[in-house]
Amino acid sequence: MSYFKQKLNTEPTSAFDLLSQLYDLTGLVYLHDQNFPVIAFLPKKFLVFQQSILQQFHQTTFNQYQLHPKATTVTEFSNFDQTTPSAQQNVVFDGGYIGFFSYDYSANQHVNISSHPQPSFFLGQYSTFLRFQDNAWYFHSREENAQAIYAFISDLIAQPTSKNLSALTLLEASHPRWSKQQYLNAFQHVQEYIKAGDCYQINLTQEFKATAQGSLLNSAQALWQLTHAPYAGYLKINDFELLSCSPELFIEFQNNRKIKTRPIKGTMPRFNDPQQDQRSKEKLSRSEKDQAENVMIVDLLRNDLSVYAETGSVTTTKLFEIESFNQVHHMVSEITATLKEEINPMQMLLSALPGGSITGAPKIRAMQIIEELEGAPRGAYCGSLGYFNFDGTGRWNILIRSIQKYQTELSMWAGGGITIASDAEAEYQECFDKISAMLNLLNTWQKTDL
C-alpha cells in the first residue's frame, strides 16, 4: 500500500483553526496526544453505538457513507498486524483506529446501568490524517486518491473562515444538578456502604449542565489554552460533540507488547502565590489519605492488567508522584506490564474499561453503587478517547475534565474518590477545585440580554 506524505502549504497554525476549516468532514477527530497532535477525518469505515443499536458505515465516495447491512463487533472491526515492529521511536498515530468509549458502554459490559441517549461509542478506521511535526502540519494518507484528497484539504484550509461553525451560546449558566445537601447525602450513603464492607472506595461524581446552542468546538481553543492538558481532544459525530481537557493517561500500548497505565488519585488546588502553591503540593505529597486512595487504585489496576499480561511482568514503576497542572496538583502512579502474545490489544482495552481511578474498589460493586447514587448516566465522562495504530500500538486517555454536548444539552462532571477517611466538605470542594476554572470560562459564552 502506497503512503503519501506532504507538508501543508500553510504557516504553522493551531489545531483549532484547522478543525474549524475541516468541520464538515465526516468523523472529524483531534488528539493532542501528549504533544504529538493529530487531526483525522474521512474514515474508510466506522462503527457507532447509540441507544443499544450498533451500526457500521462504509465510505462510498468522498465524504459520503452508506450503512453496512451487518455491523461487526469492535474486536472484529479492528484488524491488527503486530508482527511488524513500528518504525516510530515514540508512540504516535500513523494510521489505524481512533474513537471513544463512554463510561456507560464500558460499565454495561459488567453491570446493568442506564445509558445516555447520545452515542455510547465511536470507532473509525483512518488512513488519512494531519500530524504536527517539525513545527509544521503534514498531510498523511494511504488512500489511492491521496493527492486529490490533499488538494481538497489544502483548498479548505486556505479559506479564511469556516462558514458552518456556529457560535456557542449557553442559554443559562452551567450549574450543578445537585445541591450541596444532595451531594452530602450521597457522600453519607457511600460512607455507609464502606462501613458495611461493600467497598473500599467509590468515585462519587456530580454533573454540571446547561442548555446550549451552536458548536462546542468554538470553545475549544480557549479551554485548551486554559488547561494545557496532555490528553486533550475533540470528536464530532452528527449532533454530538466531545471536548477533552484530560490530564490522565489510561493505557499506552507500546512496541513489543509493552503497556503502561498512569492512574490519578489525589488532588490539591494550585495557588498564584508560589509559597502557598508549594505548601499545597507538599501537603498532597504527605497526605496519608490520598496515598491510601492511590494505592487502592494501583492494586485494582495491577489486577486488571494481570489478566492479560505475561506472568510476573506487572510492575509498579512509580508511586505517589506529584504532577502539577494549571488548576490542580495530582498524585500519580505508574504501572507497566507485557501483554501475552495471543492477546488482541482492543480486547484488553475493552476489558480494562472503565478505568479503576474513576470507579472505585472493588470495581463491580463500585459501579453498582455509582449507578444507584449518581442519578444520571455519565455518558462519555470517565470513558476513554484515543487510538490504536494498525500495529497495535496506541494511547487512550481517561475522559475527565471533559465536556459533552448532545443536541442542546451540554454537561461536564467532577468528583473524587471517597474512602472511610474522606471529609465531606473537602470532597465537595475538590469537585470545584478540579473544574471551576473551566466552568467559569464556559459560562462566558452565556447569552446576555442587551
Side-chain angles (χ1 to χ4, degrees), residues 375-392:
R378 290 179 172 182
Y381 170 69
C382 288
S384 184
L385 171 71
Y387 69 92
F388 278 117
N389 289 312
F390 289 119
D391 65 3

Side-chain angles (χ1 to χ4, degrees), residues 175-179 182 205-209 374-376 413:
H175 58 278
R177 184 170 54 83
W178 277 351
S179 66
Q182 286 174 306
T205 68
Q206 59 173 321
E207 181 183 23
F208 297 77
K209 54 193 296 188
E374 289 190 349
W413 294 65

Side-chain angles (χ1 to χ4, degrees), residues 16-34:
F16 168 77
D17 290 335
L18 291 174
L19 289 166
S20 299
Q21 300 305 99
L22 304 175
Y23 187 72
D24 288 330
L25 297 185
T26 300
L28 182 65
V29 59
Y30 162 71
L31 301 172
H32 183 67
D33 195 33
Q34 207 177 38

Side-chain angles (χ1 to χ4, degrees), residues 179-237:
S179 66
K180 182 176 181 180
Q181 189 57 53
Q182 286 174 306
Y183 176 88
L184 296 178
N185 289 343
F187 177 94
Q188 187 57 42
H189 282 303
V190 170
Q191 290 286 298
E192 290 166 3
Y193 275 122
I194 294 173
K195 291 173 183 175
D198 282 63
C199 55
Y200 308 106
Q201 179 180 161
I202 296 293
N203 198 76
L204 181 66
T205 68
Q206 59 173 321
E207 181 183 23
F208 297 77
K209 54 193 296 188
T211 302
Q213 296 175 340
S215 174
L216 181 58
L217 178 59
N218 251 313
S219 67
Q221 186 169 31
L223 284 162
W224 290 334
Q225 288 175 345
L226 173 72
T227 56
H228 292 284
Y231 304 105
Y234 173 81
L235 185 145
K236 175 178 174 286
I237 311 162

Side-chain angles (χ1 to χ4, degrees), residues 184-334:
L184 296 178
N185 289 343
F187 177 94
Q188 187 57 42
H189 282 303
V190 170
Q191 290 286 298
E192 290 166 3
Y193 275 122
I194 294 173
K195 291 173 183 175
D198 282 63
C199 55
Y200 308 106
Q201 179 180 161
I202 296 293
N203 198 76
L204 181 66
T205 68
Q206 59 173 321
E207 181 183 23
F208 297 77
K209 54 193 296 188
T211 302
Q213 296 175 340
S215 174
L216 181 58
L217 178 59
N218 251 313
S219 67
Q221 186 169 31
L223 284 162
W224 290 334
Q225 288 175 345
L226 173 72
T227 56
H228 292 284
Y231 304 105
Y234 173 81
L235 185 145
K236 175 178 174 286
I237 311 162
N238 299 323
D239 52 2
F240 171 68
E241 292 177 278
L242 175 61
L243 178 63
S244 169
C245 298
S246 175
E248 184 168 3
L249 171 69
F250 181 40
I251 301 179
E252 182 175 285
F253 294 80
Q254 304 170 341
N255 287 321
N256 302 313
R257 308 190 320 281
K258 303 292 185 182
I259 57 175
K260 176 176 74 176
T261 182
R262 289 180 58 82
I264 289 175
K265 191 54 65 180
T267 303
M268 286 289 177
R270 297 294 308 268
F271 295 96
N272 292 328
D273 176 74
Q275 291 183 333
Q276 189 179 10
D277 189 58
Q278 182 62 28
R279 286 194 295 271
S280 182
K281 184 176 181 179
E282 290 173 356
K283 182 179 179 182
L284 177 60
S285 181
R286 296 192 301 267
S287 170
E288 293 183 4
K289 175 257 183 188
D290 288 295
Q291 289 180 5
E293 279 188 43
N294 195 287
V295 81
M296 284 183 201
I297 300 307
V298 167
D299 287 344
L300 188 156
L301 286 170
R302 284 177 60 91
N303 183 67
D304 283 352
L305 297 187
S306 68
V307 176
Y308 296 106
E310 290 184 350
T311 302
S313 70
V314 179
T315 305
T316 303
T317 50
K318 297 175 183 177
L319 196 61
F320 310 149
E321 281 196 333
I322 306 302
E323 289 191 1
S324 299
F325 299 90
N326 276 24
Q327 279 75 51
V328 292
H329 301 290
H330 277 315
M331 183 177 287
V332 186
S333 294
E334 181 176 286

Side-chain angles (χ1 to χ4, degrees), residues 89-152:
Q89 184 176 4
N90 297 306
V91 177
V92 296
F93 184 73
D94 200 36
Y97 306 93
I98 305 180
F100 88 100
F101 296 96
S102 69
Y103 173 87
D104 299 347
Y105 174 80
S106 304
N108 263 314
Q109 297 179 108
H110 311 284
V111 297
N112 291 322
I113 70 164
S114 55
S115 293
H116 200 288
Q118 68 195 24
S120 291
F121 83 71
F122 167 89
L123 186 67
Q125 185 191 91
Y126 291 86
S127 296
T128 299
F129 57 95
L130 306 178
R131 193 168 73 212
F132 192 75
Q133 55 194 109
D134 303 323
N135 203 37
W137 287 95
Y138 284 81
F139 174 91
H140 299 252
S141 183
R142 290 182 172 85
E143 301 291 343
E144 292 181 2
N145 60 337
Q147 293 190 11
I149 301 174
Y150 171 75
F152 181 87

Side-chain angles (χ1 to χ4, degrees), residues 421-437:
S422 296
D423 175 78
E425 293 284 343
E427 294 293 341
Y428 182 73
Q429 181 58 43
E430 185 176 308
C431 297
F432 292 89
D433 291 340
K434 289 173 175 175
I435 66 164
S436 60

